[in-house]
Structure formats: C-alpha cells, structure tokens
Amino acid sequence: MESNKKHKIIIAVDGFSSCGKSTFAKAIAARLGYIFIDTGAMYRAVTLYALEHGAIRSGIVDEDAVVALLKEIDIDFRFNPTRGASDIYVNGDLVEGKIRTIEVSNCVSPVSSIREVREKLVAIQQQMGRKRGVVMDGRDIGTVVFPDAELKIYMTADPHVRALRRYDELKAKGDNVSLEEIEHNVRSRDEADMSRAISPLRKAEDAIVLDNSFMTIPEQMQWFEARYNEVIANL
Ligand code: DC
C-alpha cells in the first residue's frame, strides 16, 4: 500500500479494551510511516503514578489526590527501534513495562473518568497530532480529541475472545492471572468506559465498524487498505 505523501491524515482507532486496537493501529502506522499514539498508555501511566504516590489505596481512587498529582506528571513517548513503537515515559522514567498489570487495569477506568485527567491528556494528544500523519488509538479520539479525523475506525470483538487474547498476553509475560479475572475486568471496563459521564466510549457517527473477533491481522490490514484508499481518493 502506498502512503499518500501529499495528504497526511489523522486516523482515529477507538473501541473496546483488548480488542487489538494497538496491534492494528501500530501496524497501519508502520505501513504509512505515520506516528502511532496509544492514548490508553497515557491513562495507564497516570494510574500507575497515582498508585505509586498514594492517591489510590486498596483499589480506592482518591480523585482530589490524583488531580493534585497531575501538575507533577510529565508524559512523553520515545521511539524504541527494537519494538518498532514508542515507549511511554513519566518524568523521564520508562514505565512501558509497568502499565499493563492487572492492578493498573483495575484502577484505570475510575482514573480516566476524572475530568482534569482527561483535559490534561486530551490537550497533549491534540498537540501530538497537530501536524497530522498520526494513528491514535483510544476511546474518544474520533468523538473528542480529533472529531475532524479523516478516517475513524470503531473496533470491537467478542468479550470472551478479547479476554482470551489478554490472558495469552499476560501469561506469556509470566503473570499469574486467571481467565475469569481477566474476563471480569474486560466486561467491567466496557461498562465503565461506556457509561462514564465525560467522553464515554461511543461510536462517532462517521466511524466505520471493524469487528475483528475472527479476523487475522493480514485480513484486518486488507480491510484497512480498502478504507484508506477510499478516503484518500475522496480528499
Ligand atoms: O486501551 P487501554 O485498555 O490500554 O486503555 C486503558 C483505559 O484507559 C481504558 O479502560 C479506558 C481509558 N482510556 C480512555 O478513557 N480514553 C482513551 N482515549 C484511552 C483509554
């Protein structure tokens, strides 16, 4: 697939947790030579920082304490050639390897529903996409962060299939978690992400749905290519 050099666009990839958004978004960014931004990693990084600085105790998120910490949190991404993607840093510390634990996953929904957290992270995301040529994955990219994105994809997959994927991922890393616990986390995050008051997960009217429950990565890429070519032809 040829990336159109004249028209760099914004590609918003929103959808449910663990449905392969990052894998998909990373692959299309690599194909197009675009920057890939995983916004979930940013909410996870804030959650990790809150856990490490006493703003979350026994799973209870102290919203005021999280907001108070925000001003000391500086987030940036640095390209890691080994991974072929960017790693996330908080105040200069590499946290990529620490943000996908079940502990962070269990607390990230309440943290991401705090207005001040969203304001701060959305502003950073908009800044990162100002030159276009980005693929950004998250929950509110097509609705809030870049409502003018030229291509919006809304990804979904069967919850059980998603839980199995995350289970395999965590097992491969040596984490000792049960499939039941993960499926519970996946379903409760769906519920929390869709029902929160600020920027809930919902399909933008002009987004195209991609259900990848039974699709391979090459099939998803083929699907994407057709959509990308349509958009570019109509610019
Ligand atoms: O994509 P992920 O599962 O790593 O995202 C972690 C959490 O962050 C998810 O439960 C919801 C939240 N999130 C969000 O509210 N808005 C985004 N743009 C991205 C993620």
Side-chain angles (χ1 to χ4, degrees):
M1 178 176 62
E2 268 298 294
S3 149
N4 186 300
K5 302 274 184 311
K6 204 164 105 214
H7 296 291
K8 284 201 165 190
I9 63 168
I10 290 187
I11 301 172
V13 181
D14 288 306
F16 294 96
S17 62
S18 306
C19 67
K21 290 190 305 296
S22 294
T23 308
F24 173 76
K26 200 161 72 172
I28 63 182
R31 280 266 187 109
L32 297 171
Y34 278 18
I35 294 167
F36 158 63
I37 298 157
D38 173 359
T39 63
M42 300 168 76
Y43 290 94
R44 288 175 178 274
V46 171
T47 305
L48 176 71
Y49 194 87
L51 278 163
E52 288 178 343
H53 291 80
I56 304 174
R57 288 178 198 275
S58 312
I60 308 293
V61 177
D62 177 341
E63 289 197 10
D64 293 338
V66 175
V67 172
L69 286 176
L70 279 178
K71 59 181 177 309
E72 61 187 69
I73 301 179
D74 180 43
I75 292 180
D76 69 303
F77 287 93
R78 299 180 202 168
F79 190 71
N80 174 344
T82 317
R83 249 177 19 99
S86 295
D87 288 334
I88 189 162
Y89 287 74
V90 173
N91 299 339
D93 293 333
L94 174 65
V95 295
E96 187 64 45
K98 294 201 276 183
I99 57 169
R100 294 178 211 282
T101 61
I102 194 87
E103 194 190 13
V104 171
S105 295
N106 282 337
C107 302
V108 66
S109 279
V111 170
S112 67
S113 63
I114 301 172
R115 175 182 304 280
E116 291 84 348
V117 171
R118 302 205 72 83
E119 283 171 357
K120 176 174 172 122
L121 298 188
V122 167
I124 300 172
Q125 291 152 14
Q126 289 172 335
Q127 178 66 14
M128 291 191 292
R130 75 193 184 288
K131 292 188 182 152
R132 307 190 99 73
V134 299
V135 183
M136 199 171 275
D137 96 55
R139 303 293 188 285
D140 58 341
I141 311 305
T143 51
V144 175
V145 183
F146 288 111
D148 63 341
E150 290 83 352
L151 178 51
K152 299 181 185 177
I153 298 167
Y154 190 75
M155 279 181 82
T156 177
D158 179 86
H160 186 66
V161 173
R162 289 189 277 135
L164 268 172
R165 289 178 185 163
R166 186 138 289 196
Y167 176 75
D168 288 342
E169 226 172 78
L170 291 173
K171 273 274 161 178
K173 280 203 305 188
D175 279 13
N176 191 20
V177 282
S178 71
L179 180 59
E180 288 69 30
E181 190 182 357
I182 294 175
E183 189 157 345
H184 176 74
N185 174 264
V186 162
R187 288 182 188 274
S188 60
R189 276 203 293 146
D190 286 356
E191 184 54 39
D193 291 347
M194 286 190 296
S195 61
R196 70 169 171 240
I198 319 162
S199 311
L201 168 65
R202 67 177 173 80
K203 181 185 149 324
E205 263 177 35
D206 49 350
I208 318 164
V209 175
L210 170 61
D211 182 337
N212 73 355
S213 304
F214 305 104
M215 280 171 92
T216 62
I217 303 279
E219 284 167 345
Q220 293 173 56
M221 295 307 290
Q222 223 177 356
W223 178 93
F224 168 74
E225 245 170 70
R227 304 288 90 71
Y228 173 80
N229 289 335
E230 273 164 24
V231 167
I232 292 296
N234 288 314
L235 280 178

